[in-house]
Each structure stands twice: as C-alpha cells, then as structure tokens.
Amino acid sequence: AKAAGGNRYEIADPESDERAITRHGLTTALPAALERGEFFIEYQPLVRLGDASVRGAEALVRWAHPQHGVIGPDRFIPLAERTGLIVPLGRWVLEQSARQAKVWLEALPPEERDTPLRVNVNLSPAQLHHPGLVADTVEILERIGLPAGALCLEVTESALIGADEDLLKPLRQLAEMGVHIALDDFGTGYSNLANLRRLPVGVLKLDRSFTQGMQQHPADPVDLKIVEGIVSLAHSLDLTVTVEGVETGAQADHLRRLGCDTAQGWYYARPGPPERLRELSLADAV
Ligand code: C2E
Ligand code: CA
Ligand code: CA
Ligand code: CA
C-alpha cells in the first residue's frame, strides 16, 4: 500500500473482513431462521432479595444456527434491528413468553394466582416505534388468556432519551392496561433522574456495572452510595428496583441492605430452559 501521497489505500484487515462476511451472512440468514424456527428462548429467574423467592423471569432469545451453533442476542439483535426483522422476531418472543407465563401461572396453586410470576420481555427501539405495538400486545395477551399484570416490558434507558409524547403514548397505554414497564440498563445513559416522573415506568433495572463494584469486601464505597441514592429516589417515586448481574453472595448482601427489591444474576441462576424456572418456583411455593 502507498503510505504517502494523494491516494490512500484501505489495507484489508483479514479479521474484520471475516467479521463483515459473517455479519452479512447472519443478516441475510435472519428471516429464514425465523421461518425455520431456529430461535429459542432461555429464561433467567428474577428473585426477591428479601427471601430469594422467584418472582418471575426475563426472556432472553438465542439463535440455534445450523452451522455456527448457538449465537447470543448481542450478535444478532443489532442486525435484526437494522433490517426491521426485530418487529416480527420481537412479536414471536412476546408470544412465546406469554405462552410460557401462562403455563407457569396454571401450575401455581389457585390461591397464589393473583400474584403471578411475571415474564419480562425486552423491547427494542424499533418495536417501540412500530405502530402495531399496542394492538399486537393486546391481541397476544387476549388470545393466550394471560393477565396484563403477568407481563413486564423492558425498554432501555437510551431508547427513551429525549422521548416525546408520541413515543411514550403506546407505553402509557400498555401501562394503563396493567402491563409493567421496566427501564432497562438504568444508569448507563444520561437520563435526568427527575425525568423519571414523566415516564410510564414502574421498575428500574440497575445496570450490571453498579453491581460489579460490590463483588469484594470491602465494596467500593462510592458505588454503595450511588446505589443507595438511586434506590431511595426510586422508592420515593413508587418504583421498584431490580439489580442485574448479581454473581456473588457478597453482592446480594450489599444490595439487600441497600433496599433493592429484586435481583437477577448467575448467583441465583443462569438463563435456562423454562422447565427449570418452574421447578425453582414450585419448590418455593411449598
Ligand atoms: P439485557 O437485557 O441487559 O439482559 C441481561 C444480560 O445479562 C443477558 O445477556 C444475561 O444472560 C446476562 N446476565 C445475566 N446474569 C448475569 C451475571 O450474573 N453476570 C453477567 N456477566 N451477565 C449476566 P444475553 O442473554 O446475552 O442478552 C444480551 C442482550 O441482548 C440483552 O441484555 C438484551 O439487550 C438483548 N436481548 C436478549 N433477548 C432479547 C429479545 O428478545 N429482544 C430484544 N430486543 N433484545 C434482547
Ligand atoms: Ca433486559
Ligand atoms: Ca439490562
Ligand atoms: Ca445490558
């Protein structure tokens, strides 16, 4: 390649080339994958910190690729988002998750069915902008017979930054129906804490970065203070706080002491097949 002079050549980086090809291959394979049923969902329990009982689970999609094996969502959700496939894929995830929540609900003894296990479903920005969101969600809940209160939709903080009323309206409508709305990855964006009041959100999901500082004893005192402040503000606004990425008992102890309500992480359970959650929650009910 010519180093100096007017013309500059792009020097091919074999690794990024390969990555680009893979990305292209994955992108073009996405629609067929949905038709062929190559996606599946793992569920990760959401646990009440007070007594470690299972309160629900987050649905996390995976792709069982015939050549590449299981591919995680970080690798294909952005592609699906860019191509618009996220709308039908997201609808599929919602429908599967709602069916699963119905199965969990029916396995509970009748006296516990009014506080059903919640299923949390991630909503990407493109889904939020899609005009069919409310109608599709209502249709799925009605067809399956799942109470709205058994569903929680997770929206990232960054998707709502600077959101105007038009974007918030569908979320508001869903919240009025009883669907829970969670603000995902909270603390990673630049949201104005006072802005929270404006959002139809009932749950804050504190990003994993906050729990990381609590991995050892002594925990990072600044992290403790920040989380303490967020929890007290959230509670004063009637929001519940879920923490992500709890990997150790020490973290769980800190977070419980700081007043966090619910936790999710490898310390409790990795994402897994839906049957496992049923075993866990039925064991708690005894
Ligand atoms: P997220 O919504 O923040 O989900 C939490 C991620 O943290 C999951 O990664 C989960 O497996 C991982 N995790 C859970 N506990 C721990 C822990 O203790 N330690 C660590 N290090 N990680 C933990 P996963 O399954 O790879 O999902 C990545 C992201 O992909 C999700 O981040 C979410 O943004 C997106 N995603 C997953 N499923 C869907 C979906 O159905 N629709 C949309 N739109 N996005 C999805
Ligand atoms: Ca999430
Ligand atoms: Ca998250
Ligand atoms: Ca995340």
Side-chain angles (χ1 to χ4, degrees), residues 48-269:
R48 182 157 65 198
L49 271 161
D51 59 5
S53 64
V54 177
R55 308 320 299 166
E58 179 174 7
L60 297 160
V61 69
R62 280 92 178 80
W63 180 1
H65 192 286
Q67 279 92 45
H68 301 295
V70 175
I71 302 179
D74 283 334
R75 281 188 63 204
F76 65 82
I77 291 288
L79 307 178
E81 173 91 12
R82 236 175 291 149
T83 56
L85 191 81
I86 192 68
V87 172
L89 176 60
R91 204 186 291 128
W92 179 83
V93 172
L94 178 62
E95 168 142 12
Q96 297 302 306
S97 305
R99 279 187 203 289
Q100 190 54 60
K102 179 76 174 175
V103 170
W104 290 328
L105 179 62
E106 285 180 341
L108 287 174
E111 65 274 15
E112 287 180 33
R113 286 186 196 168
D114 29 305
T115 51
L117 294 170
R118 272 189 211 172
V119 71
N120 284 34
V121 175
N122 291 285
L123 216 58
S124 81
Q127 290 174 274
L128 205 55
H129 286 93
H130 188 263
L133 175 66
V134 176
D136 285 352
T137 306
V138 170
E139 191 272 324
I140 287 171
L141 290 177
E142 282 179 353
R143 182 157 39 82
I144 291 169
L146 188 74
L151 175 66
C152 178
L153 296 175
E154 300 193 358
V155 185
T156 60
E157 194 187 9
S158 56
L160 292 184
I161 289 205
D164 57 12
E165 259 320 297
D166 285 349
L167 193 67
L168 294 180
K169 198 173 156 209
L171 286 182
R172 232 180 264 295
Q173 283 176 299
L174 290 165
E176 274 160 21
M177 286 164 41
V179 174
H180 303 273
I181 312 287
L183 200 53
D184 203 358
D185 298 348
F186 184 78
T188 57
Y190 301 93
S191 61
N192 179 346
L193 288 177
N195 227 356
L196 279 176
R197 250 187 329 185
R198 221 168 54 83
L199 304 175
V201 159
V203 181
L204 279 194
K205 286 193 84 174
L206 260 194
D207 191 69
R208 185 159 73 229
S209 50
F210 291 101
T211 36
Q212 270 163 359
M214 294 174 202
Q215 223 145 22
Q216 297 100 4
H217 284 296
D220 182 339
V222 177
D223 278 350
L224 294 179
K225 280 273 178 239
I226 293 173
V227 173
E228 190 176 22
I230 292 175
V231 171
S232 90
L233 177 92
H235 285 168
S236 74
L237 295 171
D238 277 331
L239 303 172
T240 62
V241 178
T242 300
V243 284
E244 303 186 315
V246 179
E247 295 181 357
T248 67
Q251 287 172 314
D253 289 342
H254 285 301
L255 294 160
R256 189 181 305 109
R257 209 165 29 77
L258 293 170
C260 297
D261 304 290
T262 325
Q264 181 180 355
W266 298 343
Y267 175 65
Y268 297 102

Side-chain angles (χ1 to χ4, degrees), residues 30-51:
L30 273 168
L34 185 57
E35 270 173 38
R36 283 197 216 108
E38 291 172 6
F39 294 102
F40 67 101
I41 301 174
E42 287 192 317
Y43 297 88
Q44 186 177 34
L46 290 152
V47 168
R48 182 157 65 198
L49 271 161
D51 59 5

